[in-house]
Amino acid sequence: MTDLRDSRPVSRRDLLRRGALGLAGVALASERLRALEPRDDHGDAVGHPHDPGNAATVGVVRDAPLDPQAFLEDFDYGTVSRLPDGRTLREYRLTAVDREVEIAPGVVYPAWTYNGQVPGPTLRATEGDLLRIHFINGGSHAHTVHFHGVHPARMDGVYEVVAPGESFTYEFIARPFGLHLYHCHAIPLKRHIAKGLYGAFVVDPATPRPPAREMVMVLNGFDTNFDGRNEIYAANTVPFAYHHRPIRVRRGELQRVYMVNLLEFDLLNSMHLHGNFFHVYRTGTRLTSDDFTDTVMLCQGERHVLEFRFEDTGPFMFHAHQSEFTELGWMGVFDVHDELVT
Ligand SMILES: [Cu+2]
C-alpha cells in the first residue's frame, strides 16, 4: 500500500514512480511478467489488448467507492407516487457517510460520500415532477446538498447547514430539463467537494429524448496528499476503469453520455473522442445540437450531453485532452462491435 502519511509530501510524479500508477516498461517489462498479469473479479486480465504501452494503473481496485461499470448506467428514479393533482412525486434518500475508499490499486482515500459512494447516485426525474430529497447527515462534519436548477432560496442547500446526526428535506419542482448536478455547499467549499460529496442530476424533458444507450460520466479527481493538487484523475472515480474494461457499444447505435465536470483544483477539464465526432447539447437544456466536434471543454460545474454513433468496429479511445490528466487516469475506450455479447 502507498503510505500517504509519509512525512515528506508526495508529488503526483512520486506516486507514479512508486508504482501506485505504473508506467510503460516499469511494471510489465517483459512477456514473462505479462503472464503474471493480475486478473479482476471477472477473470479478465487487467490491461487491454490495445493498451497503449500499459501507461495505466497496474493491479485491481478491490474496495472502490463504486463499481464503474455499474455506475455508468445506474439511474436513481426515486420512490415514485402520484399526487392528488396528478403530478408525479419522486422521493430520494441521501445519507452523508465518512468512508475510506480505495480509488486506485493500493491508494486509500478518506472520502466523504453520499450513500457511501463517490460520485453519489445519479438522480433522475422528469421536468415538472415534485422532488423530495431526504438528506441525513451521518458524517462527522456539517454538510448540505446544493442542487443546480431552479428552486426556492430556502431549498438551495447553502444556508440551512445540516449538523452531524441531523437531517433536512429538500423539496422543489424539477426544472428546467437538462443535465444538472448536486454537491455539498458547506465551507470550505472546495474541501467538501474534493472529498467526494457530489453527483449528477438528470431532468428529462416531458417528451423524452430519442432512444439511445445512455451513460453517465462524472469527471473527478483526488488530492491524495492534500497539497491542493490532484494526483488522480478519472471519469467516475477509478482511474483507467474504462481502459482496463472498455465500454462495449454497438456499431450504429446512438450513444448518449451525460458528462458532468466536478473536478476540484483544476480550472478546466475536457473530453476528446477518437475517430469520431459528437453532438454537444450544452447543459442539456435544448434539444438542438450546439456543436459538432471531437473535443469539448468543461469548466468546474459545467456539463454537456454528448451524442454520437460509431460507423466502424474496434477500440476508440476517449480522454481528457489535457495530457497530464490522461496519464493520471482520465482515459477509457469504447469497444465497438456489431453485436453485443454479454
Ligand atoms: Cu460537506
Side-chain angles (χ1 to χ4, degrees), residues 16-160:
L16 284 167
R17 284 191 211 99
R18 289 179 185 197
L21 303 175
L23 281 177
V26 175
L28 297 176
S30 70
E31 285 305 310
R32 190 172 63 82
L33 279 177
R34 187 176 290 276
L36 301 175
E37 276 182 346
R39 292 181 181 269
D40 65 17
D41 293 339
H42 303 272
D44 295 333
V46 172
H48 190 259
H50 310 292
D51 200 328
N54 291 311
T57 47
V58 173
V60 177
V61 175
R62 299 212 174 270
D63 191 24
L66 51 71
D67 174 347
Q69 304 293 329
F71 178 83
L72 192 66
E73 300 180 80
D74 189 13
F75 297 94
D76 182 350
Y77 290 90
T79 302
V80 182
S81 58
R82 188 76 64 186
L83 296 168
D85 66 358
R87 189 187 292 274
T88 297
L89 168 65
R90 294 182 191 273
E91 296 189 72
Y92 308 85
R93 181 173 290 265
L94 291 177
T95 303
V97 183
D98 297 355
R99 184 183 164 196
E100 282 206 344
V101 295
E102 188 179 6
I103 49 176
V107 179
V108 174
Y109 182 78
W112 296 343
T113 74
Y114 289 124
N115 295 3
Q117 63 180 73
V118 181
T122 299
L123 306 186
R124 189 159 186 176
T126 301
E127 187 176 39
D129 293 347
L130 178 64
L131 309 185
R132 261 183 213 143
I133 300 100
H134 303 285
F135 173 56
I136 301 110
N137 188 355
S140 56
H141 294 71
H143 298 302
T144 72
V145 189
H146 164 67
F147 285 87
H148 286 219
V150 179
H151 48 242
R154 68 184 185 284
M155 293 295 154
D156 198 39
V158 174
Y159 300 110
E160 59 290 333

Side-chain angles (χ1 to χ4, degrees), residues 96 112 114 135 137 141-145 161-162 183-189 191-193 195 197:
W112 296 343
Y114 289 124
F135 173 56
N137 188 355
H141 294 71
H143 298 302
T144 72
V145 189
V161 174
V162 183
H183 58 85
C184 179
H185 213 294
I187 52 173
L189 182 56
R191 177 165 161 81
H192 283 248
I193 293 177
K195 290 280 271 182
L197 289 167

Side-chain angles (χ1 to χ4, degrees), residues 190-211:
K190 68 181 177 184
R191 177 165 161 81
H192 283 248
I193 293 177
K195 290 280 271 182
L197 289 167
Y198 49 76
F201 172 38
V202 178
V203 178
D204 290 315
T207 302
R209 298 173 197 273

